[in-house]
Amino acid sequence: MEYWLKVSLLLCTFGFLREMRPSEPYVTEYLAGDYGNLTTEQVYQKVYPFGTYSVLAQLVIVFLITDLVRYRPVIVLSAVAGIVLFAMQIWCDTLGMLQVAQLFYGFFTAAEVAYYTYIYAKVDKERYQIVTGHTRAAILSGKFLGGVVAQVLVSTDSMDYGELYYISLTTQIISLGVSLILPSVPRSLYFYANDASRSPTLGGDENEPKFSMKMACRLLWYHLVSSYSNPIVLQWSVWWALAICGQIQVISYIQFLWKEVAPKNLSVYNGGVEAVATLLGAVGAIVAGMLNSNKRRSFYMLCNSICAAVLGALLLFASQTTFLWVAYVNYMLFCAIFFFIITVAGAIVAENLVEDSFGLVFGINTLVGLLSQTILIIIVVEPDPGFGLGLRDQYLVNGGYFLCLGGIFGLWILIAKIRALCNKVE
């Protein structure tokens, strides 16, 4: 087996195990149910927002140190954070300890940047497309299997929500073992980069590049300026960040809406819904990946704007429904459409960047998206200084957010088209 393929398979194994968390579809049912004396309102207003703030704060740090320490240490630490996170959720039962657990959740989530960028420092550029497909497929496969396992175990009364956490803990422990045997990375994109170390040798050995802060700063500044001074990259990055903001807000609190709508406030089919949503999201991403969207950017921006408006309509409908199956179906459709439009945006950004700067732009766009979501949480969820809206009202806001997103960018494209026609006439 070729060296690059071995590395890819190891990383994919780690990603699969990391995402194979059967407890995830029922985390709200668990925390707001049999978990100590916590109420839905406490979890909704005091736990989940704390997790979002933690992710945002630690993403800045992780983003800066990942390239500096050359990826693998961050991946290993993310596995450790996952173990601590699930262990605390199993054996700690107070609000304060659960908030502490969110600190580990923050690092666990923020460290995804290391997972997604590690492989680009280990393989040749001509392998980028195929290894990107491998890593994405591993993530989606883990999420899908986690949802299926959760649904089967819950539906057959083989395990309760709390016992699902033991499976999640086990997969994180195994993922730690895999992370420890990942090959080290002698070079990186910025701090340990030089022309002589662009490719690994056939045997897997690489020349050891020298650390250079001067080179790193020069490359970072060059990639930052060249990327965001490009109007195409800037426009689609703004779209990307704002769309990510809305999507994270939706998926973070969707289980609360299901619990609100469900008979007796018990949403028991979350696992199956998450599994189907993952599959539909993968289909949407695959379809988008087959399009040559960069050659018809205006058309696809208009399509994305229309799709965003559809997402807004789905969320508005879900916020008012009294039928759990309607909320489930709306969420599955949301995932399919969202992963289509975000893949289109990501592809257009990637095709208009200078080489090797995608990781930087990906991190910055994600950071802006999380910062925007944090502002949204403060306004919508926090009772002070925000409005402390109820679950249904929050999804009214989410629906309005996507309608505005689609309307603003759709209007932008229409105005640009009208100006172009007027210029031709003149």
Side-chain angles (χ1 to χ4, degrees), residues 327-343:
Y328 278 155
V329 170
N330 280 12
Y331 176 72
M332 291 185 286
L333 292 175
F334 177 93
C335 289
I337 296 172
F338 177 82
F339 282 104
F340 171 83
I341 62 177
I342 206 66
T343 303

Side-chain angles (χ1 to χ4, degrees), residues 280-294:
L280 292 177
V283 171
I286 290 170
V287 171
M290 295 169 63
L291 302 173
N292 193 355
S293 50
N294 192 45

Side-chain angles (χ1 to χ4, degrees), residues 378-395:
I378 293 174
I379 295 173
V380 175
V381 179
E382 295 281 11
D384 185 23
F387 293 100
L389 300 181
L391 295 170
R392 290 184 181 273
D393 290 337
Q394 179 185 332
Y395 273 83

